[in-house]
Structure formats: C-alpha cells, structure tokens
Amino acid sequence: MKKDTRSEQKRRLRRRRNLERRRYRALVSSAPSSRLATVAKFNEQSPNEDFATSGKGFIALSDGAGGCGLYADKWSQYLVGELSREHPITSFEQLDNWVEGIWEPFYNRYEAKAKEGDAMLLNKFYSEGSCATLVAAWLVDKKQCHWMAYGDSLLFHYDKSSGELWHSFTKLGDFDRPPYLISCKDPLVAEGFKHGVIDVKEESLIFACSDALSELVLMMYQVSKWDEYQAELEALVNEHTSVSPMVQVAREMKLDFWKDLLEPLYESARSNNSFAQLMRRWYDQGLVELDDYTVAFMTPKTPL
C-alpha cells in the first residue's frame, strides 16, 4: 500500500511539473521576444539614472552611478546607445578599445555643460567625470548567448526545466562592495570585466537587472533554496549586511522562486506602470532597497 502511495505521489509530481512546463512555454511563446521596464526612485525628484534597451536577440543595461561625478543618467544612456547590437564584446581589450573610441565626444559635450555652472560643478566633473555599470547579452543563435558585464548590474539565465538560476556576479554579499564602473575620464581595469557564453535552451529566460533588483532576484533565489545556501545566508544575517533584513523577511515566506518572483517580474515588464506597482509592493514588504529599478528580458525565439 505504501509503495502504491509513493508511486501515485511521483505521478502527481510529474503531472504538476509537466503542467507548469506547458504553462511556461505558453507564457513565453505568446509574449514578445523581449521586454523592458524601468522606474525611478519612489518619492524623489531625481532622474532615473538607469538606461536599457531590448530588441531582436539583444539586451543591454547601464546603471549610472549617482554617487560618482555628474551626468550619470546621460552617461548610462550614451553607453547603451553606442553599444553594437550585432557584435558581442568578448574580451577586456575589446571593451577598452570601444570605450576609448567613444568617451571623448561625451566628455567634451558635458565639460561644456559643466562650464555653464559654477566652478564647483566644473571641478567635480574634472575630478570625477561620469560613471556607470554596463551589462549586455547577444543571442547569436538559438543555442548560444554571448554576454559581458562590468559592475554590479547583473545578467541572469533561468532554465525553467531545471529551476536553476545562473548569474554573472560573484556572490550575494558582494553587493556591499563598491562596484567597478566605466568612467568617461579614467581607465578601465581588467578585473572588472566579465564575459562568457551561455548554452541556451528552449525554456531559457535571459534577463538583465540594475543592482538593487539584481540583489533581490539573487537573494530570493537563494532563500528559496535555503538548504543549499543556508551557511552563506546565515553569515550575511549575522554580519548585519545591507541584505540581512531582506533575507529575514524572505525567510518568513514560503517561497516558490518562479511563482513568487520571476513570473510576476516577467509579467510586470509589459509596462512601466505595472512594473512600478510590483516594485513598490516589494519595497513596502522590505524585500528591496530604494533605488532606480530596471529589467530587460530576452527569450531565445529571435536570435540575431
């Protein structure tokens, strides 16, 4: 009798997984090949310093560093706008040469703008310039995705068939460290550059997020797999890091990563308004820090 009960439980689990897989395929196949949504900090008048784009087989996102220099929002927009949609950056040398070839027109333009202000403004631009992160992904065919990242804006790859989430970062606790930034005046450092190739599957979902949202995604995934990440998460809580209170809030939830985070996030990216509502709810729940939030999704339906 017990053997029959176990067999029936296994059949039910297989049926449930097959049903979820069909729902996921229907969700992604009926949606556009890419989605993008962004919202500025709640209740503040500062500009949204994130900028992103999504299109056929390509997503890119830059998070302007407001704490570094001036015109961070303009620099993030400029970086994304100058990035090739067809040709992946696959080495630090390529990134370095690309920045070397584009920084001067931006610098000259905003140096002139800073000169319109007072001496303090101009000195700040000379001293710090403009800074931003950059992450991008190029779907070269339906099986391979090239990516690069510089800073703490992350690329994610979610495989619905296995439930596994890959990310381009180091570890959750490193969000407390100063990020590597692309500057309009200072040289890049090789240690800040990451790149690689993702093996894409039919049920792959590829997406990029700015830092606060990236921290939320990674934190929720690890909490949903508490047994696997328990030691790392408990250490973060005990060290009283910035993510500690969010881990504690998430721990009280009975988390299903897909149903509770990634599916709502993907659905909300249909519009900036629905995305803002979702981010506001997560912020009010104490799950995410106050920041600009941006996400760009890509599915393997339309490679370059």
Side-chain angles (χ1 to χ4, degrees):
M1 185 67 179
K2 290 184 178 179
K3 183 177 180 180
D4 292 341
T5 301
R6 286 196 297 269
S7 299
E8 178 61 26
Q9 288 175 340
K10 289 180 180 179
R11 284 195 291 270
R12 288 178 179 175
L13 182 59
R14 283 197 297 269
R15 286 198 295 269
R16 187 175 69 182
R17 286 176 176 171
N18 289 335
L19 178 60
E20 289 180 352
R21 188 172 297 177
R22 288 195 296 271
R23 285 184 64 243
Y24 174 77
R25 287 175 177 170
L27 175 68
V28 173
S29 64
S30 62
S33 58
S34 61
R35 286 182 178 177
L36 186 155
T38 186
V39 60
K41 296 180 186 70
F42 303 126
N43 303 324
E44 293 192 16
Q45 300 302 314
S46 57
N48 187 340
E49 292 167 336
D50 294 350
F51 191 82
T53 188
S54 63
K56 182 181 177 182
F58 173 76
I59 55 174
L61 184 152
S62 179
D63 182 351
C68 172
L70 303 171
Y71 314 121
D73 57 326
K74 305 301 183 184
W75 181 233
S76 62
Q77 183 175 350
Y78 184 78
L79 288 174
V80 171
E82 291 294 319
L83 194 60
S84 171
R85 271 68 172 157
E86 293 81 26
H87 305 294
I89 292 176
T90 59
S91 70
F92 173 72
E93 290 72 21
Q94 282 185 331
L95 177 67
D96 195 38
N97 290 336
W98 173 68
V99 174
E100 182 64 26
I102 68 167
W103 71 269
E104 194 167 7
F106 178 91
Y107 186 91
N108 291 340
R109 178 179 179 182
Y110 286 94
E111 178 189 31
K113 186 174 180 63
K115 286 179 178 178
E116 296 174 2
D118 57 27
M120 185 177 296
L121 194 71
L122 183 60
N123 287 337
K124 186 175 180 64
F125 185 72
Y126 282 152
S127 175
E128 301 178 31
S130 304
C131 307
T133 67
L134 183 65
V135 60
W138 297 261
L139 193 63
V140 296
D141 56 42
K142 290 187 176 182
K143 294 185 177 181
Q144 285 195 329
C145 176
H146 289 257
W147 64 272
M148 62 76 53
Y150 197 96
D152 59 1
S153 297
L154 271 58
L155 187 75
F156 295 94
H157 171 236
Y158 182 70
D159 180 0
K160 186 64 173 69
S161 61
S162 66
E164 293 183 357
L165 180 75
W166 169 92
H167 63 87
S168 61
F169 204 44
T170 47
K171 58 184 180 181
L172 184 59
D174 285 346
F175 279 103
D176 276 352
R177 297 185 176 185
Y180 290 101
L181 297 170
I182 298 176
S183 169
C184 73
K185 61 176 284 294
D186 296 322
L188 302 176
V189 293
E191 293 80 5
F193 176 74
K194 293 185 176 183
H195 74 102
V197 179
I198 300 169
D199 292 326
V200 178
K201 300 179 181 179
E202 181 183 358
E203 296 183 356
S204 290
L205 192 60
I206 301 161
F207 59 105
C209 301
S210 50
D211 59 343
L213 181 52
S214 291
E215 184 179 45
L216 169 65
V217 171
L218 184 53
M219 182 272 294
M220 294 282 274
Y221 176 74
Q222 293 190 356
V223 171
S224 74
K225 295 182 176 291
W226 185 264
D227 291 343
E228 182 177 348
Y229 294 99
Q230 181 176 357
E232 179 182 348
L233 293 169
E234 288 183 344
L236 291 174
V237 171
N238 293 334
E239 292 166 7
H240 302 289
T241 61
S242 63
V243 77
S244 299
M246 295 178 282
V247 171
Q248 292 173 310
V249 171
R251 182 66 174 135
E252 297 300 315
M253 305 166 63
K254 293 183 178 179
L255 273 177
D256 180 301
F257 178 72
W258 169 252
K259 291 181 179 178
D260 295 323
L261 185 125
L262 195 48
E263 184 176 24
L265 183 60
Y266 182 69
E267 289 283 22
S268 77
R270 293 174 184 270
S271 71
N272 287 342
N273 184 54
S274 59
F275 177 66
Q277 291 175 4
L278 179 66
M279 294 310 304
R280 184 71 201 219
R281 174 159 61 87
W282 283 340
Y283 172 73
D284 289 342
Q285 289 175 328
L287 288 168
V288 65
E289 294 185 280
L290 181 64
D291 203 349
D292 302 328
Y293 309 115
T294 303
V295 64
F297 284 101
M298 178 171 61
T299 66
K301 293 195 301 182
T302 54
L304 294 172

